[in-house]
Amino acid sequence: MKQRKTPLRKCVACQEMMPKKELIRVVRTPEGDIQIDLKGKKSGRGAYLCGKVSCFRLAQKNQSAGQGIETHG
């Protein structure tokens, strides 16, 4: 049986590539709200953060999560 590839995503704070299931998705909804998407199914533009507190602080300080979900237009 053929083994499936594990999708990888990059944490917007530490820039580390990790399996998608290990990261937390932050989403900007079409209405402009920012929400945490634990299941990865919400519609909207998303960015990924690993679960480290230091990454959440760094993303907040640098606003890197906001840049990852910024919408133009």
Side-chain angles (χ1 to χ4, degrees):
M1 204 167 170
K2 193 174 182 179
Q3 189 175 12
R4 300 184 89 182
K5 286 187 177 180
T6 304
L8 297 175
R9 299 291 184 266
K10 187 185 288 189
C11 173
V12 295
C14 67
Q15 304 297 310
E16 185 177 337
M17 293 293 285
M18 299 175 77
K20 183 179 172 181
K21 294 278 185 187
E22 293 180 18
L23 296 170
I24 299 168
R25 186 170 182 245
V26 180
V27 179
R28 178 170 302 196
T29 64
E31 294 80 32
D33 299 328
I34 295 178
Q35 300 176 350
I36 293 178
D37 180 14
L38 296 176
K39 296 192 180 203
K41 301 290 183 185
K42 289 186 180 179
S43 64
R45 184 116 170 114
Y48 292 89
L49 287 167
C50 60
K52 299 176 193 168
V53 175
S54 59
C55 284
F56 274 93
R57 287 187 180 137
L58 184 61
Q60 184 180 20
K61 178 182 174 189
N62 295 340
Q63 298 179 347
S64 54
Q67 291 171 356
I69 59 177
E70 190 172 297
T71 56
H72 299 284

